[in-house]
Amino acid sequence: MSPTKIPVLSQHAPAPSPLMSQGIISNGMLYCSGSLGIDPKTNTFVPGDVADRTVRALRNLEQVLIAGGSDLSKVVKVTIFISSMTHYAKVNEGYSRVFGGYDVKPCRTCVGVASLPLDAEVEIELVAAV
């Protein structure tokens, strides 16, 4: 028997491309596609630095989690892609604004890549329990 896949869509996060879902619930877990630091109201990158865009990307993902019946406290794995390792400290700064208060932090991987969609500095995906 194949697992059920339930798509998740939040109107409070940037719309996904037609090639993907914002999130999928399967086997009690919510898998979220990568998110950029884009303001869903203006569809442009938020002003500020990489820390601010890291926070916005995580807040966008939070909206997908909420739409799927989860929240940031249930995140088990975060994967961060950055266009240069010079952004690492600022990404950590923004990340700590969101996850710093949790006693149990999610597992995390941060990977430097050659480039990201729309020339973003940071893209974040995550997995959470439902």
Side-chain angles (χ1 to χ4, degrees):
M1 182 166 116
S2 65
T4 302
K5 294 190 318 184
I6 302 166
V8 175
L9 178 65
S10 171
Q11 300 302 318
H12 303 289
S17 104
L19 302 174
M20 68 180 108
S21 296
Q22 282 177 332
I24 295 283
I25 297 172
S26 181
N27 292 326
M29 302 301 287
L30 174 47
Y31 300 85
C32 293
S33 292
S35 178
L36 306 175
I38 292 177
D39 181 330
K41 293 177 183 164
T42 65
N43 222 20
T44 60
F45 287 104
V46 295
D49 60 16
V50 180
D52 298 309
R53 286 182 283 284
T54 297
V55 170
R56 181 73 257 167
L58 289 167
R59 294 299 178 204
N60 290 339
L61 289 165
E62 180 179 31
Q63 292 303 311
V64 177
L65 294 174
I66 291 167
S70 189
D71 60 57
L72 289 172
S73 73
K74 297 178 182 175
V75 173
V76 296
K77 177 70 167 103
V78 177
T79 305
I80 302 171
F81 304 94
I82 54 178
S83 61
S84 169
M85 291 309 285
T86 60
H87 300 313
Y88 190 75
K90 282 291 188 179
V91 167
N92 281 338
E93 178 186 315
Y95 187 88
S96 72
R97 287 187 215 162
V98 175
F99 284 111
Y102 291 99
D103 290 335
V104 178
K105 311 292 190 280
C107 296
R108 191 183 103 168
T109 301
C110 187
V111 180
V113 297
S115 65
L116 290 166
L118 305 176
D119 290 325
E121 302 111 329
V122 61
E123 180 175 9
I124 304 172
E125 64 181 27
L126 55 76
V127 179
V130 178

